[in-house]
Each structure stands twice: as C-alpha cells, then as structure tokens.
Amino acid sequence: TYRGRGEIQDTSTPMRLIYSCPRHASQSSEKDEAVRQKALPPFLTSASNLGQLRPSCVIRLVGAVAGRAKMSSADDIATEATDVKCCASCGIAEVDDIKLKKCDDCDLVRYCSDKCQEDHRPNHEVMCRKRAAGLRDEILLRQPESSYLGDCPICCLPLPLDPKKSVSYFCCSKVICNGCNIANVSREYKQKLNIRCPFCRHLYAKSEEENERRRKKRFEANDPFALREVGRKHFDDRDYERAFEYFTKAADLGDVEAQFNLSLMYREGLGVEKDEKMELYYEEEAAISDDPSSRYSLGCHEGENGRYDRAVKHWIIAAKLGDDESIEKLKEMYKCGYVSKEDFASALRGHQAAVDATKSPQRELAGKILSTS
C-alpha cells in the first residue's frame, strides 16, 4: 500500500521495506541505510542518480528475515529483478510506454534497450552462461515419451527403430510400417487393383525415374525429408561436400537424421574439417529431438571423458525408447556399480514396454513374409 511518504509496505506478509524512492522517502537512520544498500540489486547501488527514479521504480526483494533481506546468490537477485520487471542495467521499470525484453539466453533479466544490454553484459555474462547451460541440460536430459520417428500414420502404433521394419514413400514423405505396407499391397493385389501409397493414395512408382521426379518435387518444396535423401544419395556416391550441404539444409529445417549424419561427418572429417564442438552440438540437437542413436553416442562420449553419471543418464533415456545398444551398456555399468538396482530395473521395464508397443499381428506377419521372400 502507498502510505503517502514514498514507502511501500506489504501488509499480507511480514516483510520489510528495503528501498523506497528517495524523492519521497523520509530520512532513514544509518543502520537502515546500510541494510538497504546491502539488499539492493547491483543496478540500483551503482546508479549515478537515484534521486531521479520514479515511485514506480520501487523495488521490494522477498526474503527479509529479522529486519534484513537475504539474497542467496546473484541468480536470486536477477530473478527478483525479472519478477518486478525492471531493467537490469538502468533500473527503469516496465510501464505503459516502456517495454522490456528478456535476455535471449537465460531468461533471467530484462533490458529496456540494446545499449543497456550491452552495458550490462560484463556483469551478467558469467551468470548467463551458467544459467543457459543449466537450461540446456534440463532439455537435454528429459525423458521423451517416444522416439523422433513417432507413430505409423496408418495403424497409429509407434514405428520400430530398425529401419528395415518400415518403408518410406517419396510421394508424401511418409514412413509406413511394414505391417501396414504389406497389408495394403496384399489387399490391392487380391482385388487386382493398382498399388497405391497407403497414406496419400498416389500410384506406386513403377521406375526409379518416376521416384526421382517425385523426390525432385518434394525437394523443390524444401521438404527436409527430401533434402536429407538427396544428401544421402551424394554421401553414398562419396560426394561428401554436396552431402554435407544438403544435410545442413535438412538439419536447419529440423530433420533429426540429418543432424545425426552431420555429427558423424564432423567426427570423421567428411566434406568438412573435423570439429568436436560441432559434432557434439549436432548430436545434442538430435538427442533433444528424441533420437536414441544420438543418445547412445553422447553416452559413449561422456563415458570416455569419465562423466559416468551423465553417460548413464543418456543410456537410460535411450533404453527407455527401445535402444538395444544402450541396454547392453547399462548392463556393463550395472556390473561395475555405476547404475543402481532401481534405475537398471526401471530401464529394463521401459525398454521392454517400448519394444512391445511397436509389435502387432500385422507387423509379425509382415516380418515372416519378408524373411521368406
């Protein structure tokens, strides 16, 4: 509540005023002044002309105990400054005619202008990097519900991780499980119909030339699936520079397999100079997009550097998506004592559940047909 002399008091909780606008506040004692200066955020204690601050710039930081506000770290100060929506550099408050923007990397502080952000960078850089790394780790180490492949658009069951158990159609850039594909072909063959795509119902391509035309059409539409397939074709022809170009375009559009392929090219120096940082970057991007293979590779990288706790986390995530190699790694780590019994049992259950979710009578029948053909 505004008490008429420039002070703000919260009557709902036992908190103490730690700053009031000096234009209106009454003269305080030396002891109160010392407490106030300790509780103020840096952008207010370093302000050259506090007397010019308006009443709307009043700051109240949470956590006053025994008459003194206690801030545990610079992160807390920045968080409180964000909560009250003040510029972290000049201290100006967000009002109708002043809009503040958050720091793009950490979301902890706000700025009223690019100049304020640039001026505050030396004070904020260390905290920003630490917070940004923490945010990325939160995203990187979360457990997804399914892999990047998603569900088959026909039967709506999760697609298997084994690429041999599904087929891609260039007419619509869809991946169909073998069960739905074989069932569609068998039905149309029995009824003497022309074979069509199970999803978009385009006629099945009868030649590689027709497939190439469809691929080109999707490529011109900037389809990441088509861009990745063109890159794969150049890769198979050992034209690594062109492959790198198309994989980069597809990765920029969010294609997970292209991101993983780029990490391999940076690792081996194919079409580009070896770069461990870029290799890890694209592996992490693919892992964030729920690619089990990238998770497995990241786990191996962390294990080689002695960070076994992070390696185990990556392998547990991949195992729960159905990755067999990650389960084998967890077995080894469990024998060495790096994985607890509870975590290992949870990974086994998650792996089995992920594998069972991809099974169906149609897919089992398709597997038998393809194995005998």
Side-chain angles (χ1 to χ4, degrees), residues 60-125:
R60 177 178 55 79
L61 299 180
V62 180
V65 179
R68 178 176 177 179
K70 294 183 179 180
M71 300 304 296
S72 60
S73 66
D75 289 355
D76 296 331
I77 293 174
T79 303
E80 294 298 335
T82 304
D83 290 342
V84 294
K85 297 184 179 179
C86 287
C87 176
S89 180
C90 67
I92 192 169
E94 185 174 51
V95 291
D96 293 339
D97 58 335
I98 299 175
K99 299 298 180 183
L100 305 180
K101 63 176 183 179
K102 288 185 177 181
C103 174
D104 295 332
D105 295 327
C106 66
D107 289 340
L108 281 178
V109 295
R110 301 170 186 261
Y111 299 102
C112 62
S113 65
D114 292 337
K115 183 179 182 303
C116 277
Q117 185 171 6
E118 190 64 30
D119 292 343
H120 191 248
R121 189 181 302 278
N123 298 329
H124 177 59
E125 190 171 6

Side-chain angles (χ1 to χ4, degrees), residues 151-181:
D151 299 338
C152 171
I154 306 300
C155 64
C156 297
L157 293 177
L159 286 166
L161 298 181
D162 187 352
K164 296 179 181 179
K165 295 183 179 181
S166 58
V167 60
S168 303
Y169 280 87
F170 290 107
C171 50
C172 56
S173 298
K174 294 295 182 182
V175 180
I176 312 294
C177 71
N178 285 344
C180 293
N181 187 53

Side-chain angles (χ1 to χ4, degrees), residues 318-339:
K320 289 183 177 181
L321 294 177
D323 186 65
D324 296 332
E325 291 180 306
S326 296
I327 277 290
E328 295 301 319
K329 283 290 184 182
L330 288 175
K331 288 180 181 178
E332 297 175 10
M333 299 299 282
Y334 177 66
K335 292 177 182 178
C336 297
Y338 290 105
V339 185

Side-chain angles (χ1 to χ4, degrees), residues 202-213:
H202 274 80
L203 288 172
Y204 188 78
K206 296 181 179 180
S207 64
E208 184 58 32
E209 290 76 11
E210 187 173 351
N211 252 339
E212 188 62 32
R213 286 196 299 271

Side-chain angles (χ1 to χ4, degrees), residues 244-264:
F244 178 81
E245 176 186 348
Y246 287 112
F247 283 150
T248 302
K249 291 181 179 178
D252 291 341
L253 293 172
D255 188 83
V256 179
E257 291 186 32
Q259 291 170 348
F260 182 65
N261 291 339
L262 283 176
S263 72
L264 296 178

Side-chain angles (χ1 to χ4, degrees), residues 349-360:
R349 289 193 298 269
H351 177 267
Q352 190 60 50
V355 172
D356 290 343
T358 64
K359 295 181 179 179
S360 73

Side-chain angles (χ1 to χ4, degrees), residues 101-313:
K101 63 176 183 179
K102 288 185 177 181
C103 174
D104 295 332
D105 295 327
C106 66
D107 289 340
L108 281 178
V109 295
R110 301 170 186 261
Y111 299 102
C112 62
S113 65
D114 292 337
K115 183 179 182 303
C116 277
Q117 185 171 6
E118 190 64 30
D119 292 343
H120 191 248
R121 189 181 302 278
N123 298 329
H124 177 59
E125 190 171 6
V126 175
M127 181 179 66
C128 183
R129 287 181 179 177
K130 180 180 177 181
R131 175 61 177 167
L135 289 174
R136 185 167 179 82
D137 261 7
E138 289 178 11
I139 299 173
L140 181 62
L141 297 175
R142 67 176 176 82
Q143 178 66 55
E145 294 182 0
S146 62
S147 74
Y148 74 97
L149 292 169
D151 299 338
C152 171
I154 306 300
C155 64
C156 297
L157 293 177
L159 286 166
L161 298 181
D162 187 352
K164 296 179 181 179
K165 295 183 179 181
S166 58
V167 60
S168 303
Y169 280 87
F170 290 107
C171 50
C172 56
S173 298
K174 294 295 182 182
V175 180
I176 312 294
C177 71
N178 285 344
C180 293
N181 187 53
I182 294 297
N184 177 67
V185 171
S186 300
R187 179 185 62 82
E188 293 181 337
Y189 180 78
K190 290 179 181 179
Q191 297 180 10
K192 298 181 179 180
L193 301 173
N194 293 324
I195 299 178
R196 297 175 178 271
C197 169
F199 183 79
C200 68
R201 306 307 295 163
H202 274 80
L203 288 172
Y204 188 78
K206 296 181 179 180
S207 64
E208 184 58 32
E209 290 76 11
E210 187 173 351
N211 252 339
E212 188 62 32
R213 286 196 299 271
R214 292 180 177 180
R215 187 186 293 113
K216 185 178 180 180
K217 183 178 179 181
R218 301 298 302 180
F219 172 80
E220 292 173 350
N222 230 23
D223 185 343
F225 173 86
L227 290 169
R228 183 233 304 163
E229 290 303 313
V230 173
R232 193 194 304 277
K233 185 174 183 298
H234 286 297
F235 188 91
D236 293 339
D237 295 338
R238 298 183 182 277
D239 186 358
Y240 298 124
E241 291 184 359
R242 295 293 299 279
F244 178 81
E245 176 186 348
Y246 287 112
F247 283 150
T248 302
K249 291 181 179 178
D252 291 341
L253 293 172
D255 188 83
V256 179
E257 291 186 32
Q259 291 170 348
F260 182 65
N261 291 339
L262 283 176
S263 72
L264 296 178
M265 296 184 77
Y266 273 111
R267 178 191 302 173
E268 303 298 332
L270 300 176
V272 66
E273 293 184 4
K274 290 185 178 181
D275 191 331
E276 186 177 355
K277 288 185 178 180
M278 292 302 296
E279 172 199 342
L280 290 176
Y281 170 76
Y282 279 111
E283 272 191 353
E284 288 182 356
E285 287 297 302
I288 289 172
S289 299
D290 309 332
D291 177 28
S293 298
S294 299
R295 288 279 179 195
Y296 175 79
S297 296
L298 282 174
C300 292
H301 176 79
E302 297 288 2
E304 289 170 1
N305 288 278
R307 296 188 288 266
Y308 300 119
D309 55 335
R310 291 180 64 87
V312 166
K313 289 179 181 179

